[in-house]
Amino acid sequence: MSHAPRLTALDAVHRALGATMTDFAGWDMPLRYGSERDEHQAVRNRAGLFDLSHMGEIAVTGPAAADLLDYALVGDIGAVAVGRARYTMICREDGGILDDLIVYRLGADEYLVVANASNARTVLDTLSARSEGFDADVRDDRDAYALLAVQGPESPGILKAVTDADLDGLKYYAGLPGTVAGVPALIARTGYTGEDGFELFVEPRYAERLWQALTEAGAGVGLVPCGLSCRDTLRLEAGMPLYGNELSTALTPFDAGLGRVVKFGKTSNGGDFVGRTALAAAAERAASAPPRKLVGLIAEGRRVPRAGYPVVADGVTVGEVTSGAPSPTLGRPLAMAYVDAAYAEPGTKGVGVDIRGTHEPYEVVALPFYKRRK
């Protein structure tokens, strides 16, 4: 039986703005409001406003909250200071990635785990199962939050116009409680666009008021509402992985080139965590002879690669595209792909993508494709 998609607290706002809506992970979400290229360029050059209320928030609290998260996740969460955040992953016993996450430490014994929308239930259930024996509570808080994001070089100025919080002192991957447009919020300097920006966690009843205040504050500097479509091209240019594309249960963090998030040296739980043995073996394999590596591909022509297209060289398949799209910033199609290690070196010649039977030439490059100006 199919269920009607869930609506965010901003659903009426999106429809009033004429958004093209789409079902995403069981939520009705704005795909675009007008031109996705214009929305993309607004974030790169000015600012964009996003509704990300489909993300999954999970509260982990109690005296052993840090110990639980150190055991359940691959990162050293106990070492995260109050007011800071950490990018990490939750893996299976065999090392396969269940999801990539951001964990915010809100207090000594209080954490907010933010999961991808499509994996929110899996992460919640897995954390709950792994909490057995720990003096900690795991709570589904998806209904407690709406999540808005302001991203782009103008975002600090926009936010400063509606908050008294010290944004200059708020580092990347930090979060602090504050008031924005009279609304209590968790203000986090995080994002998924490759630009400076903020994510604002608020009660759903305040979402419309906050959206309107940010819209008014950004009117003079070209802020526009942005949908999921441009968020995808922004993160692709920034070389940021997407679960289901670059990350999956078939891959370990080391396979994905993200072994740095696995902390074998953490001391809580005697250094034990779920997947440790398998991940140690994966680290050794990656150091000696990785079978495939995640690389960037830039088209020499105009044809756009899509996820699942074969990467070819010397007449044989040597990899697979995981994400592909036209790049508004670079003006050419881009792709991320896993390719055999022999073809992964930037500048490797003779590599192409099989686009419906035609081998289109591509240049292998290091990720990310785009880095923002500091």
Side-chain angles (χ1 to χ4, degrees):
M1 189 175 86
S2 64
H3 297 279
R6 297 179 69 176
L7 307 180
T8 79
L10 291 162
D11 186 71
V13 173
H14 303 319
R15 292 177 194 283
L17 289 169
T20 299
M21 305 296 285
T22 188
D23 185 342
F24 184 83
W27 291 81
D28 213 13
M29 297 298 296
L31 189 62
R32 69 181 73 82
Y33 297 85
S35 156
E36 56 202 61
R37 173 180 287 271
D38 290 348
E39 291 171 25
H40 180 112
Q41 298 287 27
V43 175
R44 284 279 177 259
N45 300 303
R46 302 182 304 278
L49 179 59
F50 296 82
D51 177 11
L52 305 178
S53 301
H54 60 311
M55 300 295 281
E57 293 89 5
I58 301 161
V60 180
T61 57
D67 288 343
L68 164 59
L69 290 171
D70 275 342
Y71 169 71
L73 310 180
V74 301
D76 190 353
I77 307 304
V80 178
V82 173
R84 298 306 303 264
R86 180 72 45 89
Y87 175 77
T88 187
M89 295 184 183
I90 184 166
C91 290
R92 301 193 306 195
E93 196 69 64
D94 67 1
I97 302 165
L98 286 167
D99 200 16
D100 61 334
L101 313 163
I102 296 180
V103 179
Y104 299 89
R105 189 168 196 171
L106 307 182
D109 300 331
E110 184 183 1
Y111 294 85
L112 181 66
V113 177
V114 181
N116 285 297
S118 55
N119 295 328
R121 173 53 61 182
T122 297
V123 175
L124 176 69
D125 291 347
T126 305
L127 284 176
S128 297
R130 293 178 185 178
S131 70
E132 191 175 338
F134 289 92
D135 187 5
D137 293 312
V138 177
R139 183 178 72 242
D140 183 357
D141 259 3
R142 278 180 293 179
D143 292 337
Y145 292 103
L147 176 56
L148 282 68
V150 190
Q151 300 281 304
E154 298 285 356
S155 57
I158 292 168
L159 202 51
K160 282 176 184 175
V162 292
T163 185
D164 294 331
D166 175 21
L167 300 184
D168 292 331
L170 188 67
K171 297 185 177 73
Y172 188 52
Y173 265 75
L176 83 169
T179 302
V180 183
V183 169
L186 170 64
I187 305 167
R189 200 161 204 155
T190 44
Y192 193 50
T193 62
E195 298 297 338
D196 192 8
F198 302 86
E199 295 182 320
L200 308 170
F201 296 83
V202 299
E203 290 181 44
R205 62 187 171 131
Y206 296 133
E208 282 200 28
R209 188 202 306 184
L210 185 56
W211 180 280
Q212 293 308 138
L214 292 166
T215 298
E216 289 166 19
V221 292
L223 173 85
V224 301
C226 292
L228 294 182
S229 185
C230 83
R231 190 167 182 252
D232 192 49
T233 52
L234 289 160
R235 71 92 195 165
L236 174 57
E237 289 182 350
M240 294 176 165
L242 174 65
Y243 195 89
N245 292 47
E246 288 73 40
L247 309 175
S248 73
T249 53
L251 298 167
T252 73
F254 294 95
D255 296 325
L258 292 166
R260 65 182 181 275
V261 307
V262 181
K263 304 300 182 187
F264 292 110
K266 51 186 170 180
T267 54
S268 63
N269 313 311
D272 184 35
F273 59 94
V274 177
R276 181 187 178 101
T277 302
L279 288 168
E284 279 191 34
R285 286 196 305 273
S288 57
R292 282 189 169 177
K293 287 187 174 182
L294 186 65
V295 301
L297 299 174
I298 298 183
E300 294 180 19
R302 292 281 166 198
R303 297 187 71 189
V304 179
R306 299 296 181 192
Y309 284 12
V311 179
V312 292
D314 303 319
V316 296
T317 297
V318 298
E320 185 176 298
V321 170
T322 53
S323 297
S327 165
T329 305
L330 278 67
R332 286 194 283 169
L334 304 178
M336 285 200 275
Y338 282 104
V339 301
D340 294 351
Y343 298 89
E345 198 61 36
T348 299
K349 302 295 182 190
V351 173
V353 175
D354 185 337
I355 301 180
R356 298 190 186 89
T358 304
H359 292 187
E360 298 288 333
Y362 273 73
E363 179 188 356
V364 179
V365 299
L367 294 168
F369 301 101
Y370 166 86
K371 283 184 182 173
R372 70 182 175 90
R373 301 180 298 278
K374 296 296 181 192

